[in-house]
Amino acid sequence: MESCNHTKRTQWMIKALCEQLSNTEPYSNILSDAYIKELFDTAPLHDIGKVGIPDSILLKPGKLTFEEFEIMKQHTTYGINALKYEVAEDRIPSFVKTAIECIGGHHEKYDGSGYPKGLKGEEIPLPGRLMAIVDVYDALISKRVYKPAFKHEEALLLIKTEKGKHFDPSLVDAFLAIEEQIKEIAIKYTQE
């Protein structure tokens, strides 16, 4: 059930973040209603590649070893490969391309220290940069087998600290501008 709630929370958080960004340049030219809907619809696929990761790693109650983390990192590549399976690049539908950008970019970091490709700044497709911030926020505020839940304020502090490092600075600013809305989404989809 928690995995389902994570999916709902991140989906609605992406929508809220996109709506906030759509009021500012340069995003007002990018985030049309149709594109926001596509991002909302594809966000639940961001971790689809985890089906290829052994449960012994996914459900491990403690810190992952280096080797286990290397296996865990493969979930992005597994997800991309599953959606691209035997489809020519020019025949991939827009919806699938957006999902692939979300899957492949949500563990990249703005400073280039992420994975799977070590992309930096705006080399990271917008869907990946968006998912990165909402995925990390939700992971922080959620209890997991390996950690307790952080309070909303603690999660925001970490996101602020990672502005320009892990996260796109303009996305952090937009996220912080709607932090009460984000908190409400988190509460709503934790109680259901």
Side-chain angles (χ1 to χ4, degrees), residues 111-153:
D111 66 4
S113 66
Y115 66 88
K117 294 182 178 178
L119 300 177
K120 185 176 187 178
E122 293 191 12
E123 292 174 353
I124 306 164
L126 181 58
R129 296 192 325 264
L130 291 163
M131 181 53 73
I133 194 167
V134 300
D135 191 43
V136 167
Y137 171 81
D138 193 69
L140 289 170
I141 63 157
S142 301
K143 183 179 184 293
R144 300 285 168 89
V145 294
Y146 53 87
K147 70 161 204 62
F150 284 44
K151 290 184 170 130
H152 171 76
E153 295 74 22

Side-chain angles (χ1 to χ4, degrees), residues 5-19:
N5 284 337
H6 169 69
T7 299
K8 287 180 187 177
R9 287 189 302 265
T10 55
Q11 186 177 32
W12 285 101
M13 287 175 193
I14 275 216
K15 184 176 191 293
L17 183 55
C18 286
E19 287 171 348

Side-chain angles (χ1 to χ4, degrees), residues 80 100-126 128-129 164-168:
I80 292 167
I100 288 169
E101 290 176 343
C102 186
I103 294 165
H106 80 283
H107 285 292
E108 297 289 359
K109 293 185 179 179
Y110 200 74
D111 66 4
S113 66
Y115 66 88
K117 294 182 178 178
L119 300 177
K120 185 176 187 178
E122 293 191 12
E123 292 174 353
I124 306 164
L126 181 58
R129 296 192 325 264
K165 298 177 216 166
H166 190 148
F167 307 116
D168 180 328

Side-chain angles (χ1 to χ4, degrees), residues 7-19 21-22 27 30-46 94-103 125-132 134 171:
T7 299
K8 287 180 187 177
R9 287 189 302 265
T10 55
Q11 186 177 32
W12 285 101
M13 287 175 193
I14 275 216
K15 184 176 191 293
L17 183 55
C18 286
E19 287 171 348
L21 286 164
S22 71
Y27 302 104
I30 300 166
L31 293 169
S32 64
D33 290 344
Y35 191 42
I36 291 172
K37 182 178 181 337
E38 190 167 285
L39 287 160
F40 177 83
D41 291 342
T42 58
L45 298 173
H46 73 279
S94 173
F95 175 90
V96 175
K97 285 181 184 175
T98 298
I100 288 169
E101 290 176 343
C102 186
I103 294 165
L126 181 58
R129 296 192 325 264
L130 291 163
M131 181 53 73
V134 300
L171 301 190

Side-chain angles (χ1 to χ4, degrees), residues 45-53 69-85 99-108 114-118:
L45 298 173
H46 73 279
D47 276 338
I48 195 169
K50 284 187 176 177
V51 299
I53 306 299
F69 187 61
E70 289 300 306
I71 293 168
M72 177 64 90
K73 288 183 349 185
Q74 293 176 13
H75 81 276
T76 56
T77 306
Y78 293 160
I80 292 167
N81 291 343
L83 294 184
K84 287 175 108 174
Y85 184 72
I100 288 169
E101 290 176 343
C102 186
I103 294 165
H106 80 283
H107 285 292
E108 297 289 359
Y115 66 88
K117 294 182 178 178

